[in-house]
Structure formats: structure tokens, C-alpha cells
Amino acid sequence: MASEQTPSDARCELKPIAEFRSMYTEKNGTPRQSGICPEALGCFTIHKDVFNNPEHSLEGIADFSHLWLIFLFHKNNNSYTKAKVAPPRLNGVRVGLFSTRSPYRPNPIGLSLVKIERIEGSCVHVSGADLLDGTPIIDIKPYIGDYDAPSTAATTDQSTSSTHRTAAWVSCPPIESLSLNFTPEAERQTEQLSAENQLRFIDSADLRRAIVNILSADPRSAYRRKRCSDRLYFFKVDCVHVTCWFNGNVAQVLRVKMLEDSDQTDE
Amino acid sequence: MASEQTPSDARCELKPIAEFRSMYTEKNGTPRQSGICPEALGCFTIHKDVFNNPEHSLEGIADFSHLWLIFLFHKNNNSYTKAKVAPPRLNGVRVGLFSTRSPYRPNPIGLSLVKIERIEGSCVHVSGADLLDGTPIIDIKPYIGDYDAPSTAATTDQSTSSTHRTAAWVSCPPIESLSLNFTPEAERQTEQLSAENQLRFIDSADLRRAIVNILSADPRSAYRRKRCSDRLYFFKVDCVHVTCWFNGNVAQVLRVKMLEDSDQTDE
């Protein structure tokens, strides 16, 4: 890109360097941010057409515990973006797009911090990702606390952190918090699936915790929360299909079952 | 982007949303990471062709203390990238590209954490950036500690942090650390410039600290460090030109002077 170009002309074409393999295959139930579900396992393999020896580009990466994944929100199909958006936590109130991590951005770029679990050749296994299966990754950087965490002097506001300040609606959203329970049947189903050990990504023992983490963060959109209180909520974790019911502020897990082959297709 | 595309085909064209105005106009002396020089001030204005009302996209952003800037390394003019690179701190030793924050990446994307100083309409003033003047910004996200800092259990290694692990060469590079001094003449020049209060970006009182921060991080490349020990090192801070000499492990500031008009052009 020539430095003389005006910024509006300085377009840049990006080419994915890897595709993320995730236990999340659809928007419903996928964590909204990285780290929310530490049990979420996934992996990516550096494409062979990026480097002749992709594994060379990962040398030394095991010396770090965490990585940034910079990726494309490839499932967005809206062709324009709005200057203000309604984050789910604000329950319909709109704020400036750049005050949020909304996926609907002028450039559909996402940023996630993940933990490295293990490296096999040019394949990196990670946990805590909030990426859908098939997400194109455009860059990977090591997490370095000295540069990637605020280190300025304490602020004087009411924030819990002494080094940075976050909008109050992020940490204390104006929506009531959810309590969560499993019906006895769903509890039994979860235990049985955990015992059967047939999951593809996560350790079966973590299944219940993964379901709890996903629901505790209230995965519904504001629209869904307000307008669809009569509808059941479905999501998939790994190869398990979960049915639940939001009754006011109670999320109740009704059914936990293995996906049939016919359920595996994306909607 | 259709989800059916193979990842290598799923190219995405990005359009800058803002251009960064920085006190750094050339590679020499520009901090290698954000946060290294908290005195580094800069700003960006959301382009009018991104949103009809660019200031709307920033509503609520003042509720956060820090922002991520995702930007393009627009001054890179190499057309290919290597799987292994030699980070300056490793003094010539090569590691995998993705273990580093090198600007020479398959997709020339940079990530910097900056502190918000103030917002004026669609213009955001920030500090701590490591961006060159004119850098195209492609996305802005609020920093949210819950998602953007590792929160996993303590690791057992020798790292100083209890929550994450960083390659030893990042925090304890195998190069000797620099000591720093100003010649009496340079000291006097710095004091005089600070008193004159003619800087464009930074508070004049911060001038000395900015110079010290830049030099303390050793801004030389490994090549420069090894092969050019007989050459003076020049850099600009704001509208000040700094000359220094690296004598072994001592960085000595020889001259600090205001830029002439004729110096203002980029080389």
C-alpha cells in the first residue's frame, strides 16, 4: 500500500491464514466474548499456502500461555453497519458502535484472547474461544501483559479495577441476573452423556459446566428476551443439543441430548 | 462473505475508518509497542464516509478508559513475509513469526492498547500509542478486562505474572540493558525546549521523559545494533530532532533541537 494514498483509498485485502475448528456451530449459545467459557476447546491449522513450512511460523509460541486471535465475522450478511447498536446487556438501549464489541462493524474484525492448550505441528489447540466453527483467522499474536493490559495509575472512579475503567453497563448490566436450574430429567441426561464420553471437543466431565457457563451469561439477544418469551431456546455445545426455557429470571434446562446425524447440518 | 467459501478464498477487503495523527513520523524512535511511552499523544477522527454521523458511533466511549486500535502497517513495502523473523530483543536469533509482534505479517495488522485522554465530537485523543503518523485504523474496540486479560489459574513457571506466561526473551532479553545519559549541552537544550513550550502534541514538561522512554527500550534493530556501531542514531519526537550515540551499553543524548521546516518532510 503506497503511503501517499488517502486513508479512504488505502484499502487492504486480507487473506485468512487459518480456519477455526470450534465446538460451536451456530450463533445460539456461542459465548459472546472469549474467556466466558474456559471449557470451550477448538483448534486451527496454519494454511499451507501462507508459508511453505507453516510450523516454522509457530516456533516459540509454546513459550506463551495466551494468544490473540484476530478473525473475521464471516457469518455477518448485512451489507451496511449502523453508528449505534443495542448490546444485549443494555436490553434495547443503543450506544455508539465503537463502545461495544458488536460483530456488526465497518470492518468485520473480531478480537479474542485464548489459552494455548497444546501445539501439534502447525495445529494449535486452544481454550476459551468464542469463535464459530469455520471462522477465518487473519492474524495471531502472542499475549504480552506489558503491552496488552493497562498499566497506568489508578483512576478515581467507582470501577473495581485500579488500572482501567469500563462502562458500568458492561459489568453491572441493567437487566436482572439469571438463576439457573436443570430439571431432574435434564440433570440425568447430562450425567449420562458425561459418563458416555462421546463428545468430540470437550472433556465430558466439563459438559455440565459448559452448559452453565453459556446460560449464566444469558445468550439471548435483547429482541429475543423481550419479544419471544413464549419460545424455547435451543443451542448446541460440541455434539450435544440443549433445550431450555427462560421463565422470567430463571433459565431452566429441559433437555440435553446427543445430536442426531440430521441435526448436524447448519441451519 | 459466503460461508461456503474455502478459507483461502474468503478474502475480505478492509476500508480504513480513521487515520491516526501521531507525533511519530518515521520508524526510528517510534515505540515498538503501545504503553511503552505513555507521553505519546495522538488522535484520530472517524471518517465521514463511514457513518453519516461519525460522532454517534463514539457515543458512550468515554465510559471506558482504554481502547484497542486495530490498524494497518501501511509503511511495510515488502511483498512477501517470512515464517521466521529476528525480533530486535533476540539480537539476531530467529523465532516463528506468530511468536512475535513483528509488523511483517501475512496480513499487515497491528494491535495497540491506548488510553483515552479526551473526546471532541468524532475525534478521540489518546496516549501511549505506538502508531506512525498517517496509520490507517480499521477498527476500534473498548478494552474490557474481563475478556481481554487472562483470568486462568496461576501457572507454575518462573513468570512474574500469576495469570499468564510470556516467553522469557520478551521480559528478559539476552541483550545487555542500556544506561542512558544526556550531555550537558543536550540537557540544557532539552530544558530550554521544555521552557519554550512550542511542542505540538506532548506537554513540553514531558519532553525529557519521552526521550528517555524511547531510548530506554533500545529502539535499534538487531542489524543496526551489530553492524552500525559507528553511526549516530537520529529520531524525532513531536517536532524535536534527537541525536544520540550508542557507546556499548550507554546511550548518550548528544543534541536535542527543534525541527527546521526543511526537516519536516518524510525521508
Side-chain angles (χ1 to χ4, degrees), chain A residues 7 59 99 105 109 140-141, chain B residues 19 59 99 105 109 141:
Chain A
E59 271 188 30
S99 307
R105 321 183 73 79
I109 292 179
I140 302 156
K141 297 185 195 285
Chain B
E19 186 178 321
E59 270 188 31
S99 307
R105 322 183 71 78
I109 293 178
K141 297 182 195 285

Side-chain angles (χ1 to χ4, degrees), chain B residues 68-144:
Chain B
W68 290 111
L69 301 184
I70 305 181
F71 61 93
L72 297 176
F73 290 111
H74 67 306
K75 291 268 184 164
N76 284 1
N77 44 20
N78 59 334
S79 53
Y80 70 103
T81 49
K82 293 174 179 171
K84 294 175 73 167
V85 297
R89 290 188 190 215
L90 269 175
N91 213 17
V93 174
R94 297 191 309 148
V95 290
L97 171 68
F98 295 126
S99 307
T100 76
R101 305 283 281 243
S102 163
Y104 305 105
R105 322 183 71 78
N107 294 302
I109 293 178
L111 178 64
S112 281
L113 182 64
V114 298
K115 184 162 180 279
I116 300 176
E117 294 293 334
R118 66 184 194 281
I119 294 132
E120 293 167 353
S122 58
C123 178
V124 183
H125 293 260
V126 301
S127 62
D130 57 345
L131 277 61
L132 279 173
D133 194 52
T135 295
I137 296 178
I138 53 173
D139 202 4
I140 302 157
K141 297 182 195 285
Y143 176 86
I144 301 176

Side-chain angles (χ1 to χ4, degrees), chain A residues 1-242:
Chain A
M1 217 177 319
S3 58
E4 293 74 23
Q5 290 177 308
T6 64
S8 345
D9 292 336
R11 290 164 182 268
C12 173
E13 196 185 66
L14 301 183
K15 188 180 175 185
I17 56 165
E19 186 179 321
F20 197 73
R21 297 264 68 93
S22 169
M23 66 185 202
Y24 302 112
T25 54
E26 54 188 47
K27 187 178 166 190
N28 267 10
T30 300
R32 285 226 186 75
Q33 295 294 333
S34 56
I36 289 179
C37 186
E39 296 80 21
L41 297 186
C43 64
F44 58 86
T45 304
I46 305 293
H47 291 321
K48 286 221 170 80
D49 56 358
V50 178
F51 295 116
N52 289 334
N53 296 297
E55 65 278 15
H56 288 185
S57 67
L58 296 170
E59 271 188 30
I61 214 163
D63 290 336
F64 297 86
S65 59
H66 291 74
L67 292 180
W68 290 112
L69 301 184
I70 304 181
F71 61 92
L72 298 175
F73 290 111
H74 67 306
K75 291 268 183 164
N76 284 1
N77 42 22
N78 59 334
S79 55
Y80 70 104
T81 50
K82 294 175 179 171
K84 293 175 73 166
V85 297
R89 291 190 189 212
L90 269 175
N91 214 16
V93 175
R94 296 191 310 148
V95 291
L97 170 68
F98 296 125
S99 307
T100 76
R101 306 283 281 241
S102 162
Y104 304 105
R105 321 183 73 79
N107 294 303
I109 292 179
L111 178 64
S112 282
L113 182 64
V114 298
K115 184 163 180 277
I116 301 175
E117 294 292 333
R118 66 182 194 283
I119 293 132
E120 293 167 353
S122 59
C123 178
V124 183
H125 294 260
V126 301
S127 62
D130 57 345
L131 276 62
L132 279 173
D133 194 52
T135 295
I137 296 179
I138 54 173
D139 202 4
I140 302 156
K141 297 185 195 285
Y143 175 88
I144 301 177
D146 282 352
Y147 314 136
D148 297 340
S151 59
T152 53
T155 52
T156 52
D157 71 307
Q158 78 296 350
S159 160
T160 51
S161 162
S162 60
T163 54
H164 67 280
R165 203 160 38 92
T166 302
W169 62 264
V170 173
S171 37
C172 310
I175 51 173
E176 294 173 87
S177 59
L178 284 178
S179 69
L180 186 65
N181 67 51
F182 286 58
T183 62
E185 179 63 12
E187 197 73 75
R188 196 159 44 237
Q189 289 164 339
T190 308
E191 277 168 29
Q192 193 182 333
L193 286 177
S194 296
E196 281 172 1
N197 210 14
Q198 290 181 19
L199 301 191
R200 284 178 300 174
F201 286 96
I202 61 172
D203 190 327
S204 295
D206 288 333
L207 176 61
R208 193 182 195 283
R209 203 157 357 133
I211 294 171
V212 168
N213 277 334
I214 289 164
L215 285 174
S216 300
D218 197 344
R220 294 171 300 168
S221 65
Y223 176 86
R224 175 93 201 204
R225 201 182 290 137
K226 286 182 163 172
R227 306 286 175 82
C228 309
S229 61
D230 58 336
R231 286 176 58 191
L232 292 172
Y233 188 88
F234 306 106
F235 64 94
K236 296 176 195 165
V237 195
D238 204 301
C239 45
V240 168
H241 184 275
V242 180

Side-chain angles (χ1 to χ4, degrees), chain B residues 240-260:
Chain B
V240 169
H241 184 276
V242 181
T243 302
C244 55
W245 176 48
F246 289 93
N247 179 22
N249 302 317
V250 179
Q252 185 166 49
V253 179
L254 303 178
R255 187 179 62 185
V256 178
K257 66 170 194 130
M258 282 300 272
L259 282 174
E260 309 291 327

Side-chain angles (χ1 to χ4, degrees), chain B residues 185-243:
Chain B
E185 178 64 12
E187 197 73 75
R188 196 160 44 236
Q189 289 163 338
T190 308
E191 274 167 33
Q192 192 183 334
L193 287 177
S194 296
E196 282 172 3
N197 210 15
Q198 291 181 20
L199 301 191
R200 285 177 300 172
F201 287 97
I202 61 173
D203 189 327
S204 294
D206 288 334
L207 176 61
R208 193 182 197 283
R209 201 153 0 129
I211 294 171
V212 168
N213 278 334
I214 289 165
L215 285 173
S216 299
D218 196 344
R220 295 171 299 167
S221 64
Y223 176 87
R224 175 93 200 201
R225 200 181 292 138
K226 284 182 164 173
R227 304 287 175 83
C228 310
S229 60
D230 58 336
R231 287 176 57 193
L232 292 172
Y233 189 87
F234 306 107
F235 65 94
K236 296 178 195 164
V237 197
D238 205 301
C239 45
V240 169
H241 184 276
V242 181
T243 302

